[in-house]
């Protein structure tokens, strides 16, 4: 109808893991603003190896409220991305409520158990941050339409050396780095496998992002090891050291803007890409190449 605005993802249905807060909520709201309905999953449980608290039922309820305030539909389920069968059951039921199809999946549930020397921290980071991505794609694939989109959240820390792959970050940091490197590799080859169906697969790699993960005591200590009990104010002066641009972090909404592009038909021929939303962190920290 003439004069009626149509959103960039109008009528699409998108699965988002880790939807209760942070980047997951930002993705849900940005997509809903542009006309999408949401299938959301979150675990709503803490991890013994992870220093900061995970999302709560109240967080998830708030995401639902905010999406519905935008006059879009959202169906949420409690599920652990490490448990493929449980995740499939949750996704199958929620997708059925919204008509039985998916146009995209954003696999972004994650933890960052830095400074934990327990081997379990390594395994928790890998099984959530990498296996959880694979499981989300596995659960979504039976419902994904041809021409759909798969988006995985990596991290610029997985693309450079000397960040979380530093042994000083503990077994949890090593697991986080391994998982995020693996996400990048997974997307490269997944894009080839999905290409015959015109389904594209891409990763988004943020730098520091203004979420609970960054705003945690353990992260403050990573950025200010010179202080015994650094505060957020102490860490703020160190956050920009990661980036080429003079900013300490990006916002979840900056990541969601890239997610919107990758869900939309504007990216219909964009696949196998490592999309960095990193304020220049990669170019600042990448190994120098010889000049020829």
């Amino acid at each position: 109808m003439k004069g009626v605005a149509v959103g960039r993802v109008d009528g699409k249905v998108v699965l988002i893991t880790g939807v209760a807060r942070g980047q997951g909520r930002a993705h849900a709201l940005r997509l809903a603003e542009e006309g999408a309905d949401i299938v959301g999953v979150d675990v709503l449980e803490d991890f013994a190896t992870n220093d900061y608290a995970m999302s709560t039922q109240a967080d998830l309820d708030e995401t639902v409220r905010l999406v519905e305030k935008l006059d879009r539909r959202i169906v949420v389920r409690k599920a652990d991305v490490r448990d493929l069968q449980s995740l499939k059951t949750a996704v199958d039921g929620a997708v059925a409520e919204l008509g039985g199809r998916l146009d995209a999946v954003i696999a972004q549930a994650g933890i960052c158990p830095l400074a934990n020397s327990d081997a379990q921290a390594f395994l928790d980071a890998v099984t959530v941050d990498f296996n959880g991505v694979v499981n989300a794609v596995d659960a979504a694939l039976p419902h994904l339409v041809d021409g759909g989109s798969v988006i995985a959240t990596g991290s610029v820390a997985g693309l450079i050396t000397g960040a979380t792959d530093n042994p000083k970050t503990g077994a949890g940091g090593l697991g986080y780095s391994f998982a995020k490197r693996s996400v990048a590799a997974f997307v490269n080859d997944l894009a080839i496998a999905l290409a015959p169906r015109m389904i594209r697969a891409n990763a988004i790699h943020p730098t520091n992002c203004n979420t609970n993960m960054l705003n945690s005591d353990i992260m403050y200590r990573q950025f200010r090891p010179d202080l015994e009990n650094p505060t957020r104010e102490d860490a703020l002066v160190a956050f920009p050291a990661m980036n080429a641009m003079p900013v300490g972090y990006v916002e979840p909404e900056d990541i969601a803007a890239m997610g919107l592009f990758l869900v939309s038909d504007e990216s219909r021929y964009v696949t196998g890409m490592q999309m960095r939303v990193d304020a220049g962190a990669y170019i600042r920290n990448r190994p120098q190449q010889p000049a020829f």
Side-chain angles (χ1 to χ4, degrees):
M1 185 187 306
K2 186 176 181 180
V4 176
V6 177
R8 293 163 65 187
V9 291
D10 194 54
K12 293 184 183 294
V13 179
V14 183
L15 166 64
I16 304 171
T17 63
V19 75
R21 71 181 187 200
Q23 292 181 41
R25 179 187 289 173
H27 282 299
L29 296 184
R30 188 70 187 93
L31 291 165
E33 287 172 350
E34 293 286 345
D37 293 325
I38 307 299
V39 171
V41 173
D42 212 300
V43 68
L44 307 181
E45 293 178 4
D46 289 341
F47 291 78
T49 58
N50 201 62
D51 187 70
Y52 58 93
M54 305 305 291
S55 303
T56 65
Q57 184 65 51
D59 293 323
L60 185 60
D61 292 343
E62 179 65 3
T63 296
V64 170
R65 185 189 73 81
L66 291 170
V67 169
E68 290 179 342
K69 186 177 179 181
L70 295 168
D71 201 27
R72 301 310 306 175
R73 297 179 298 167
I74 178 170
V75 178
V76 296
R77 293 286 189 273
K78 181 179 182 296
D80 188 335
V81 295
R82 297 174 298 176
D83 183 343
L84 177 57
Q85 191 52 58
S86 173
L87 185 61
K88 282 189 170 184
T89 299
V91 171
D92 289 348
V95 169
E97 285 193 39
L98 292 179
R101 59 173 273 169
L102 275 177
D103 296 274
V105 52
I106 301 178
Q108 76 85 48
I111 62 172
C112 189
L114 293 181
N116 191 320
S117 60
D118 190 337
Q120 187 62 50
F122 179 91
L123 293 172
D124 285 347
V126 171
T127 54
V128 175
D129 297 354
F130 177 62
N131 294 16
V133 168
V134 176
N135 288 345
V137 176
D138 198 345
L141 190 58
H143 308 287
L144 271 177
V145 299
D146 290 356
S149 180
V150 172
I151 302 159
T153 297
S155 170
V156 73
L159 303 180
I160 60 178
T161 57
T164 55
D165 60 340
N166 188 326
K168 291 181 180 180
T169 64
L174 292 174
Y176 183 84
S177 181
F178 174 86
K180 297 304 186 178
R181 292 197 309 271
S182 299
V183 165
F186 174 64
V187 161
N188 281 343
D189 290 354
L190 180 65
I192 297 171
L194 295 178
R197 290 184 53 194
M198 297 295 289
I199 298 175
R200 55 217 187 265
N202 298 284
I204 303 176
H205 297 282
T207 184
N208 302 332
C209 189
N210 191 22
T211 65
N212 293 66
M213 181 184 291
L214 182 66
N215 296 304
S216 62
D217 290 340
I218 191 66
M219 198 67 76
Y220 303 154
R221 290 194 291 271
Q222 293 299 310
F223 278 89
R224 291 302 305 271
D226 56 313
L227 299 177
E228 183 175 354
N229 294 299
T231 64
R232 185 174 190 272
E233 288 67 32
D234 295 324
L236 281 174
V237 299
F239 285 162
M242 183 80 172
N243 305 321
M245 292 179 175
V247 296
Y249 48 78
V250 299
E251 296 293 342
E253 290 76 16
D254 297 310
I255 313 304
M258 181 62 77
L260 172 63
F261 168 68
L262 292 174
V263 170
S264 78
D265 294 340
E266 297 163 13
S267 65
R268 60 181 178 163
Y269 299 129
V270 177
T271 196
M273 295 292 289
Q274 312 295 334
M275 310 295 277
R276 304 191 305 267
V277 184
D278 69 348
Y282 176 79
I283 56 174
R284 177 168 185 168
N285 295 282
R286 74 188 189 281
Q288 293 299 309
Q289 301 299 317
F292 295 106

